[in-house]
Amino acid sequence: MTRRNSPVYTLGELAECLGARLAGDAGRQIVGLATLKEAGPDRVAFLANRAYLKDLADTRAAAVLLHPQHGDACPVARLELDNPYLGYAALSRLFDPLAGREPGGVHPSAVVDPSASLGEGVEVGANAVVEAGVRLGDDVVIGPGAVVGADSVVGAGSRLHANVTVCHGVVVGARAILHSGCVIGGDGFGFAHDGAGWHKIAQLGGVVLGDDVEVGSCSSIDRGALGDTIIGNDVKIDSQVQIAHNVQIGDHSALAGCVGIAGSTRVGKHCMLGGGVGLSGHLTLCDGVQVTGMSLVTNSITEPGVYSSGTGAMKNAQWRKNAVRFKQLDDIAKRLVRLEKGRDA
Amino acid sequence: MTRRNSPVYTLGELAECLGARLAGDAGRQIVGLATLKEAGPDRVAFLANRAYLKDLADTRAAAVLLHPQHGDACPVARLELDNPYLGYAALSRLFDPLAGREPGGVHPSAVVDPSASLGEGVEVGANAVVEAGVRLGDDVVIGPGAVVGADSVVGAGSRLHANVTVCHGVVVGARAILHSGCVIGGDGFGFAHDGAGWHKIAQLGGVVLGDDVEVGSCSSIDRGALGDTIIGNDVKIDSQVQIAHNVQIGDHSALAGCVGIAGSTRVGKHCMLGGGVGLSGHLTLCDGVQVTGMSLVTNSITEPGVYSSGTGAMKNAQWRKNAVRFKQLDDIAKRLVRLEKGRDA
Amino acid sequence: MTRRNSPVYTLGELAECLGARLAGDAGRQIVGLATLKEAGPDRVAFLANRAYLKDLADTRAAAVLLHPQHGDACPVARLELDNPYLGYAALSRLFDPLAGREPGGVHPSAVVDPSASLGEGVEVGANAVVEAGVRLGDDVVIGPGAVVGADSVVGAGSRLHANVTVCHGVVVGARAILHSGCVIGGDGFGFAHDGAGWHKIAQLGGVVLGDDVEVGSCSSIDRGALGDTIIGNDVKIDSQVQIAHNVQIGDHSALAGCVGIAGSTRVGKHCMLGGGVGLSGHLTLCDGVQVTGMSLVTNSITEPGVYSSGTGAMKNAQWRKNAVRFKQLDDIAKRLVRLEKGRDA
């Protein structure tokens, strides 16, 4: 990445960009965003959660992005919008130092196979590798040290950060963001046993990522055994996530850090998996399922809703006693039934 | 990787390769594999699981690989074999686009130390690094961006995919497959505390991988503190797995995704650890132990069998009530005993 | 890395370096360390744990590092020290093959932006990339294939192993050790929902690592949304750990492998998180908290001590019965109350 100066906007420009109603000096220069508490007089803050309403009166921000209902309580200039959190998201992208940079072209140290095709405005970073038959859409950025394997396709506007690996025969949709260290298209975990040891099943499928997919640092999405592993549009995947072969994830689902999904499981649309959740293989989760952090799901889920497993944390001394009792739980339940029968007799 | 054309075989060639009995046109050309349901007339399907028997009658495959007992039910040509799943594994490797490629030699952008020794047919990919004193056996493939640290040894026929890191002084056996992003030989987690803070214990051991080991994307195997971390022959390790210093894994064991094994634990031969399983440090698991997904094992296991921990997932509203009761479980058990005594009095 | 000969010291040199009392031949040459059981006559062993006292009488080591109380029981030369484990840590660093190497300078294949500033004795490995505006302190080592993003700072004496990624605008303190495959400063997981899908919140904060921080292989520390993610001094982080945006970790805390910490959670000083522990977002853990392996913490902790969740592992057949009863636990507790009321009536 080449350096760029931090962007500066006027309040008027920000209001126009957001479609927000501005109450205040449209010419005021803004250099960035901050929380209500930490914003100085050259920054915009936002109020999107009532828990922070207490910080509004004392803010030193140049202006606050908020819902019109809080306009009167705002001691400084304001940008009014019905969904201020969405407005914050839009502003954050304006101030992103990676946005709006001039593309750097293909770095002389990058190795791009002559058979690869590169769209307009493509950047390939230092010591990156683009193998034979790869197609990179317009404005694709391949970070330094990243590798795109033979015959893979990366859609327009996608960014692969430094040291990303996209293996051979993978399809990445448009506007994807793949963070450093993630691996798309490593082999799925497939072996046949002959009674003595393992025989590898070559993983002949690929991975298809839809449009607007994000994959976090050090996450891995394995290629399919025969068919493809399929990630829908607008699916957001955090860091340290493992998605096994032939998994399918529906559009707009979000997977928090350290999630692991075993082979051939299908997750519906608009699902949300909390950090560290595990899904066993060959399950189906319908649309709209939420699973709370570190839960293990071993059966398919056919009704939308929130699901959980595990026990809450407690002091270790207390936990030891209870955990021992857990091993006696079936016995406890049976003894209770006997007592109940005795009472009723 | 350079491109290659997809392989094409005749049914007769496939039958000979498998040692299967062919009933059908030996000259029929086959371009790949697919499931019974999805196979077109230029592909071979297989039946290895009775759950898919229902798909046999309607398959459009060129031929089906199956057990002789299902031969009569097969509407198309067939390849009969006593273990069709093993046959599928063999066929999958024939159609692997990575197999049978001409080795690409040492790419001009790769940095190979003059003191490294390379066997016959070795390929070192673009921007890969092979440090001083490394020995690469015949037909080893080092993917683009991969690094092999000083004095490490990689056995014949092994493949390190793109962006793999093998640190210094590591031994990788023959025919290993190391997937992108995995790290073999990072430091174990060892520190001495002086009452105020931590003092690093240099990790002076190495890692030894046996023959036919596979390690998944983004997995890490740490080097030993004094002795080595040792992975046996034919051990299969999935993605996102962490193996700490001085762990030993017996031959033919398989570790699914996201497994974590703490320091100095020994896992026997023919063990299977489900996804997300955690093993505490300094344990011994005997041969033939299976642990189901996301279980935590804190004590040694001396009998083969299947082990589990945790609770199944349920609706969050139900779970909340039960999880609160878990904290009262010891109390519940004691009150039950009092009631039982009262009844018997 | 270039090769070096293994270091050799005399017993007298080691005693001086440790400030230990030597009983034995000060001129004896020592080539390394080993356990009491495995040490040969050119190695020093140590006794830091009474569990290994049984191995002392038969050791073949050149000398043993131990507490003075065990001096008389030692059959060979000895180095007496009040804290022999701390002494072992110090010796291990003397014998570390990575220590004391001559720095290799900037490898010709490395790409270092002309605007980067490099201190004295800096080494940049083969095919590494140092972007614009980066500042590397004295004696920094950047491993082969590692990438340091624009405007990041790495403090004196820090080592980034092969294929590490430090993203743009990250601050790494002095004497850090970052292991292969780790990623510092990937985007935090932040999105606003518009009722239909996700809108990215650009992650405008950075990551600040204090001095003497270690980060294990394949771990990830995400950049902050507005402010920074902050890791204190002397914090030790194992492999496969995920630290989300705006997390703060206090000085001297240690996180074992596979830990996951969700956004904005604050961990105090001198905390220890066992392998696979999960912390929900927006929590505060006070100083001195220990959490045992694979526990999930969903509430803030205000008292030092040891905390746990989950159930111990048991045979699967036993577990199945108890896990079913867990789902009935609230009902069991209520029925018990009814029985108790009946008895008292």
Side-chain angles (χ1 to χ4, degrees), chain A residues 1 3 85 92-93 127 163 179 214 234 239-240 252 270 293 311 313-316 319 326-327 329-330 340, chain C residues 127 131-132 151 165 187 196 198 200 202 218 220 240 242 296 303 306-310 313 322 325 335:
Chain A
M1 183 179 111
R3 299 168 84 178
Y85 197 59
S92 74
R93 296 193 301 269
N127 287 329
N163 283 333
H179 288 287
E214 186 157 342
D234 195 33
S239 306
Q240 303 280 351
H252 312 297
H270 296 287
T311 79
M314 61 210 88
K315 288 207 170 182
N316 180 263
W319 173 80
F326 180 82
K327 297 190 185 186
L329 197 47
D330 185 53
E340 287 171 332
Chain C
N127 286 329
E131 293 191 330
D151 298 313
T165 306
D187 276 358
W198 300 105
K200 182 172 178 69
C218 301
S220 46
Q240 302 282 350
Q242 154 65 0
L296 169 65
E303 261 184 80
V306 183
Y307 295 81
S308 303
S309 74
N322 292 319
R325 297 300 188 182
R335 284 155 57 201

Side-chain angles (χ1 to χ4, degrees), chain B residues 291-318:
Chain B
V291 184
T292 63
M294 287 180 74
S295 297
L296 169 65
V297 179
T298 56
N299 291 295
S300 290
I301 296 179
T302 57
E303 260 183 81
V306 184
Y307 295 80
S308 302
S309 76
T311 79
M314 62 211 86
K315 287 208 169 181
N316 179 263
Q318 182 195 3

Side-chain angles (χ1 to χ4, degrees), chain A:
Chain A
M1 183 179 111
T2 52
R3 299 168 84 178
R4 70 182 300 251
N5 294 325
S6 294
V8 177
Y9 299 90
T10 65
L11 264 185
E13 287 170 335
L14 297 181
E16 195 184 331
C17 160
L18 292 173
R21 201 182 76 88
L22 169 65
D25 173 7
R28 183 78 168 269
Q29 291 216 324
I30 304 297
V31 305
L33 304 179
T35 61
L36 284 167
K37 223 168 180 169
E38 287 164 8
D42 52 1
R43 297 193 178 239
V44 166
F46 64 98
L47 174 65
N49 181 332
R50 296 187 65 90
Y52 296 100
L53 188 51
K54 61 179 169 34
D55 296 334
L56 182 58
D58 295 329
T59 191
R60 294 170 53 244
V64 179
L65 175 63
L66 42 55
H67 190 275
Q69 75 180 107
H70 298 301
D72 290 347
C74 182
V76 296
R78 59 191 194 265
L79 294 156
E80 293 184 354
L81 208 59
D82 280 349
N83 187 336
Y85 197 59
L86 216 53
Y88 157 50
L91 286 191
S92 74
R93 296 193 301 269
L94 284 182
F95 286 103
D96 183 356
L98 297 187
R101 282 192 315 121
E102 284 298 305
V106 176
H107 194 277
S109 64
V111 175
V112 179
D113 190 277
S115 67
S117 84
L118 276 59
E120 303 266 309
V122 164
E123 173 176 330
V124 182
N127 287 329
V129 177
V130 176
E131 292 192 331
V134 166
R135 283 177 287 146
L136 305 179
D138 294 347
D139 303 314
V140 162
V141 177
I142 305 295
V147 176
V148 184
D151 298 313
S152 285
V153 177
V154 180
S158 289
R159 174 185 293 272
L160 279 61
H161 283 273
N163 283 333
V164 160
T165 307
V166 168
C167 302
H168 66 278
V170 167
V171 176
V172 177
R175 298 173 302 279
I177 302 176
L178 307 184
H179 288 287
S180 293
C182 77
V183 176
I184 314 297
D187 276 357
F189 195 60
F191 303 92
H193 204 276
D194 69 0
W198 300 105
H199 295 249
K200 181 172 177 71
I201 296 171
Q203 303 292 300
L204 304 176
V207 177
V208 177
L209 306 185
D211 294 333
D212 300 297
V213 168
E214 186 157 342
V215 180
S217 305
C218 302
S219 288
S220 46
I221 304 178
D222 294 347
R223 63 190 321 112
L226 288 172
D228 296 326
T229 303
I230 297 174
I231 310 298
N233 296 315
D234 195 33
V235 169
K236 306 303 185 186
I237 297 172
D238 199 356
S239 306
Q240 303 280 351
V241 169
Q242 154 65 1
I243 297 181
H245 51 184
N246 300 102
V247 165
Q248 298 186 17
I249 312 277
D251 296 349
H252 312 297
S253 286
L255 284 59
C258 307
V259 160
I261 305 183
S264 300
T265 282
R266 295 176 179 214
V267 174
K269 298 178 182 179
H270 296 287
C271 289
M272 296 178 68
L273 305 182
V277 160
L279 307 183
S280 296
H282 297 275
L283 306 183
T284 299
L285 274 61
C286 67
D287 295 349
V289 167
Q290 294 181 33
V291 184
T292 63
M294 286 180 73
S295 298
L296 169 64
V297 179
T298 56
N299 291 293
S300 289
I301 295 179
T302 56
E303 262 183 80
V306 183
Y307 294 81
S308 302
S309 75
T311 79
M314 61 210 88
K315 288 207 170 182
N316 180 263
Q318 181 194 4
W319 173 80
R320 281 170 181 273
K321 290 181 191 171
N322 292 320
V324 164
R325 297 301 188 180
F326 180 82
K327 297 190 185 186
Q328 307 164 353
L329 197 47
D330 185 53
D331 181 59
I332 287 171
K334 285 176 177 159
R335 285 155 58 200
L336 182 62
V337 168
R338 277 199 295 275
L339 280 179
E340 287 171 332
K341 284 189 180 158
R343 180 198 59 183
D344 298 338

Side-chain angles (χ1 to χ4, degrees), chain B residues 19-280:
Chain B
R21 200 182 77 86
L22 169 65
D25 172 9
R28 183 79 169 265
Q29 292 216 324
I30 305 296
V31 305
L33 304 178
T35 60
L36 284 168
K37 223 169 179 168
E38 287 167 6
D42 51 1
R43 296 191 180 239
V44 167
F46 64 99
L47 174 65
N49 181 331
R50 297 187 64 90
Y52 296 99
L53 188 52
K54 62 177 170 34
D55 296 334
L56 182 58
D58 295 329
T59 190
R60 295 172 52 244
V64 178
L65 176 64
L66 41 56
H67 190 276
Q69 74 179 108
H70 298 301
D72 290 346
C74 183
V76 296
R78 58 191 195 264
L79 294 157
E80 292 183 356
L81 208 58
D82 279 352
N83 187 336
Y85 198 59
L86 217 53
Y88 157 50
L91 286 192
S92 74
R93 296 194 300 272
L94 284 182
F95 286 102
D96 183 356
L98 298 185
R101 283 193 314 121
E102 284 299 304
V106 177
H107 194 275
S109 64
V111 175
V112 178
D113 190 277
S115 68
S117 84
L118 277 58
E120 303 266 310
V122 164
E123 172 176 332
V124 182
N127 286 328
V129 177
V130 176
E131 292 191 332
V134 166
R135 283 177 287 146
L136 305 179
D138 294 347
D139 303 314
V140 163
V141 177
I142 306 296
V147 176
V148 184
D151 298 312
S152 286
V153 176
V154 180
S158 289
R159 175 186 293 272
L160 280 60
H161 282 273
N163 283 332
V164 161
T165 307
V166 168
C167 301
H168 67 278
V170 166
V171 176
V172 177
R175 297 173 302 278
I177 302 176
L178 308 184
H179 287 286
S180 293
C182 77
V183 175
I184 314 297
D187 277 358
F189 196 61
F191 303 91
H193 204 275
D194 69 0
W198 300 106
H199 296 249
K200 180 171 179 72
I201 296 171
Q203 302 293 300
L204 304 176
V207 178
V208 177
L209 305 185
D211 294 334
D212 300 298
V213 169
E214 185 157 344
V215 181
S217 304
C218 301
S219 287
S220 45
I221 303 178
D222 294 347
R223 65 190 319 112
L226 289 172
D228 296 326
T229 303
I230 298 174
I231 309 297
N233 296 315
D234 194 33
V235 170
K236 307 303 185 187
I237 298 172
D238 198 358
S239 306
Q240 302 281 349
V241 169
Q242 154 65 1
I243 297 182
H245 52 185
N246 300 101
V247 165
Q248 298 186 16
I249 312 276
D251 297 347
H252 312 296
S253 287
L255 286 59
C258 306
V259 160
I261 305 184
S264 299
T265 282
R266 295 177 180 213
V267 174
K269 297 177 183 179
H270 296 287
C271 290
M272 296 177 68
L273 305 182
V277 161
L279 307 183
S280 297

